Amino acid sequence: QTFAYPAGQGSYEFYSVSTDDDDNVEDAPVRADARLVFNNPPSAPTDPSIPDGSTDVSLSPTLSVTVSDPNGHPVDVSFFDDSDHLIGTVLGVSSGTQASMVWDGLSPETTYGWYVMVDDGLESSSSVTWTFTTQPAAEPVPAENAATTMALLLLLALTGVVMVQRR
């Protein structure tokens, strides 16, 4: 026999009462013979803020995904790198909204992978792994430009001093 969860998500308790051939009916037990918890797992996270294969990504990108739970439960959202190291967790995210986290300290011109796990307290789901490549390092100011800039600043400072002295 099947059970269709008439009240939807939640827990259900069952007990049995037997009747023998002489129509003697067993008393209902004090506690249930079985307990069943009905829960749909959260949906896999979607809509990554950084699409798979992106390039020229910031060295401190904001990772975000849309999360949902078919039962409407708030979920905990954990962000991981592709080596399964935890980047961070956002707790109690409402179903149908986005969870975001900044991933600091990345190296230039490096490819990174990341994925997200969503947990409703009973079950969890995870995303696919997305990858991106970070932007090149900022180009240093060439020494000759730095020297020219310093000379110009010094000249402006001296001109300012001379102008103040002429008053």
Side-chain angles (χ1 to χ4, degrees), residues 89-152:
T89 300
V90 182
L91 302 175
V93 179
S94 297
S95 180
T97 64
Q98 285 196 329
S100 299
M101 172 155 293
V102 174
W103 191 1
D104 284 319
L106 302 184
S107 298
E109 296 183 275
T110 304
T111 299
Y112 290 92
W114 63 290
Y115 69 95
V116 177
M117 183 165 290
V118 181
D119 189 321
D120 69 2
L122 294 173
E123 297 187 65
S124 61
S125 297
S126 60
S127 70
V128 298
T129 299
W130 298 293
T131 61
F132 63 85
T133 302
T134 53
Q135 64 193 19
E139 291 189 29
V141 176
E144 62 272 5
N145 287 351
T148 302
T149 301
M150 289 303 291
L152 181 58

Side-chain angles (χ1 to χ4, degrees), residues 30-97:
V30 174
R31 45 177 204 206
D33 295 331
R35 183 169 189 228
L36 176 66
V37 176
F38 171 69
N39 179 64
N40 289 309
S43 302
T46 60
D47 304 325
S49 58
I50 303 171
D52 191 38
S54 292
T55 58
D56 204 32
V57 173
S58 159
L59 300 181
S60 294
T62 298
L63 308 176
S64 67
V65 292
T66 301
V67 297
S68 63
D69 182 82
N71 302 316
H73 295 147
V75 294
D76 296 339
V77 183
S78 298
F79 294 79
F80 294 89
D81 69 17
D82 60 357
S83 297
D84 300 326
H85 295 110
L86 180 66
I87 298 167
T89 300
V90 182
L91 302 175
V93 179
S94 297
S95 180
T97 64

